[in-house]
Amino acid sequence: MYLDRDFRGMGKPVKKHTGIRHFFAAASYSLGGAKRLLSEAAFRHELMAFGIAMVAFVISGATLFQYVAMLVLFLLMIAFEALNTAIEEIVDRVSPEISEMGKNAKDLGSLACLCLILANAGYAGYVVFLSKIFAF
């Protein structure tokens, strides 16, 4: 449930929508999340890397399946980056002082993102540099 902006957390609940209104409300929340994620430098770097990978896929003659697999991996990376950013926002709100628990939460979110970055980079490297060598 989304609350009106109130920094004490005591805002009035927003009325929930149903039907087609719910669809458009959910879409607007997702667009708001995308806008917030674009303000993260790490996400902008990941977006640029995806663009570079797509150019490399075109040059290397990747198959449709390889494009789809790369897109799925990239969408997973976006999802993990969004969750990591959400964790950071919550930790900063709930525990503005430096705490071991807050640090652990942020570090674990960062590790999840790193795992997906490595999966994306590994797959892109395979498609661009090794797939022709190991083609059957």
Side-chain angles (χ1 to χ4, degrees):
M1 178 166 33
Y2 289 86
L3 300 176
D4 295 328
R5 263 197 187 274
D6 185 310
F7 295 102
R8 295 182 313 258
M10 303 297 288
K12 296 180 182 178
V14 174
K15 182 181 175 192
K16 289 195 175 223
H17 299 287
T18 59
I20 193 73
R21 282 184 164 169
H22 172 74
F23 173 79
F24 287 111
S28 74
Y29 302 146
S30 296
L31 288 174
K35 182 179 176 183
R36 169 61 183 89
L37 202 54
L38 276 170
S39 70
E40 290 291 317
F43 176 69
R44 291 192 306 272
H45 294 153
E46 292 160 356
L47 201 56
M48 287 189 318
F50 179 72
I52 292 167
M54 288 297 97
V55 170
F57 273 38
V58 170
I59 293 169
S60 69
T63 66
L64 176 62
F65 174 80
Q66 291 170 328
Y67 280 102
V68 170
M70 189 72 230
L71 178 63
V72 169
L73 278 172
F74 180 68
L75 290 173
L76 279 170
M77 188 166 58
I78 291 173
F80 274 62
E81 193 65 50
L83 290 172
N84 183 48
T85 300
I87 289 168
E88 290 175 353
E89 292 272 335
I90 290 168
V91 167
D92 290 347
R93 172 75 169 120
V94 172
S95 179
E97 72 284 347
I98 296 174
S99 70
E100 190 66 24
M101 191 178 299
K103 179 188 179 312
N104 289 341
K106 288 182 171 188
D107 288 351
L108 289 167
S110 181
L111 174 62
C113 289
L114 176 63
C115 290
L116 256 300
I117 289 169
L118 293 174
N120 275 266
Y123 184 71
Y126 167 77
V127 170
V128 172
F129 300 111
L130 300 175
S131 65
K132 304 300 184 241
I133 295 170
F134 295 112
F136 295 98

